[in-house]
Amino acid sequence: MYRYNAQGARFSNRALLAFAQTGLAQTLEVRPRAAANQQTEILLYDEIGLWGVTAKAFTQALATAGPGPLTLRINSPGGDVFDGLAMFSALKQHNGPVNVVVDGLAASAASFLALAGSNISMAPNAFLMIHNAWGVVVGNKADMTETASVLAKIDGQLVSLYADKTGQKPDAITQMMDAETWFTAQEAKEAGFIDTILDASQNKAQPLLKNGAFEHQPKQPANTLTVPDIAARRRMVRLAEAAG
């Protein structure tokens, strides 16, 4: 979901920031390499942006990983387009090969983030989805027109990213985005979005070692919200955005 919010801070998913500062824990997990010839793994199993993993947190994780081979594992519905683009750029600038694995879903902003890999793989039962940018805007007709213009520019940038990877013509990519196209792993490979489909024996994340070598998953704070709490608060924010 490409969030485009015109309330207060336009082009941002950071509206109602004070409301959001309630201990929502980011779930970005970094599993460092145990030896110089091994890969660091980063697990992006959340939304992209304020409600999940921000570009700032992601680039900090990349800095912690340091130079060398890197595997990014994705299971994400997408999120903020600008955070996603910043994360894409950071991956492109990483000093070392980047292997991207879509474990479950790479939708919306997560779909173009996946394209930053030098090799892109999907689990056989995973999905990838592309669509046009969308968002919420409150204002007069000039605000609506301006919003439509900026969303069209965002779509154009994303078309270029997808076309560069797949080799397909921009018009074909535009039609896929207009239709909100969902790809199985096989369809994504045939369309050129990914390079390989993993078999079950290949698609294994690094184990967490008992000696703590890979125990980098952040401890959840005592005031961490439950899943129902988070869902309810997100609904409240969306209602507030719609009401203006």
Side-chain angles (χ1 to χ4, degrees):
M1 301 176 231
Y2 304 138
R3 293 193 177 85
Y4 175 93
N5 176 23
Q7 297 184 104
R10 190 168 290 183
F11 315 129
S12 173
N13 70 346
R14 290 162 176 77
L16 303 179
L17 182 58
F19 175 82
Q21 293 173 336
T22 53
L24 285 171
Q26 295 197 345
T27 54
L28 184 67
E29 182 178 340
V30 181
R31 296 175 174 178
R33 59 182 62 88
N37 62 343
Q38 294 185 345
Q39 298 199 17
T40 294
E41 278 197 346
I42 296 179
L43 274 67
L44 178 61
Y45 277 22
D46 206 338
E47 294 184 30
I48 293 171
L50 180 65
W51 298 109
V53 176
T54 64
K56 180 178 180 180
F58 188 79
T59 53
Q60 288 173 342
L62 285 178
T64 299
L70 173 74
T71 293
L72 173 65
R73 307 185 75 93
I74 296 177
N75 182 35
S76 172
D80 186 279
V81 65
F82 300 109
D83 274 44
L85 288 171
M87 292 158 71
F88 176 91
S89 296
L91 277 177
K92 282 293 190 182
Q93 296 171 46
H94 177 70
N95 184 12
V98 176
N99 179 44
V100 172
V101 180
V102 179
D103 285 325
L105 173 65
S108 194
S111 67
F112 67 75
L113 177 60
L115 303 189
S118 48
N119 182 71
I120 307 165
S121 305
M122 287 178 69
N125 57 346
F127 285 87
L128 183 144
M129 184 272 279
I130 66 173
H131 68 171
N132 289 325
W134 64 267
V136 175
V137 61
V138 176
N140 58 33
K141 60 184 179 182
D143 296 315
M144 303 298 172
T145 301
E146 180 186 358
T147 300
S149 175
V150 174
L151 289 174
K153 290 183 178 181
I154 294 171
D155 289 341
Q157 294 286 70
L158 301 183
V159 167
S160 295
L161 286 179
Y162 295 131
D164 287 346
K165 167 58 183 174
T166 63
Q168 298 201 45
K169 294 185 180 300
D171 287 348
I173 297 294
T174 297
Q175 291 178 10
M176 295 177 191
M177 291 172 62
D178 287 345
E180 185 177 299
T181 304
W182 289 75
F183 299 90
T184 64
Q186 185 60 45
E187 289 168 343
K189 187 174 186 300
E190 291 172 356
F193 287 93
I194 66 170
D195 303 306
T196 57
I197 300 174
L198 301 180
D199 60 37
S201 63
Q202 290 175 296
N203 195 31
K204 293 181 180 179
Q206 294 182 113
L208 289 175
L209 301 183
K210 292 183 178 179
N211 63 10
F214 292 154
E215 291 178 351
H216 271 245
Q217 186 168 10
K219 298 294 187 293
Q220 299 297 324
N223 65 340
T224 297
L225 299 175
T226 64
V227 171
D229 288 337
I230 294 171
R233 295 193 180 201
R234 286 176 178 167
R235 286 195 295 271
M236 291 172 63
V237 170
R238 288 168 183 154
L239 287 173
E241 289 177 341

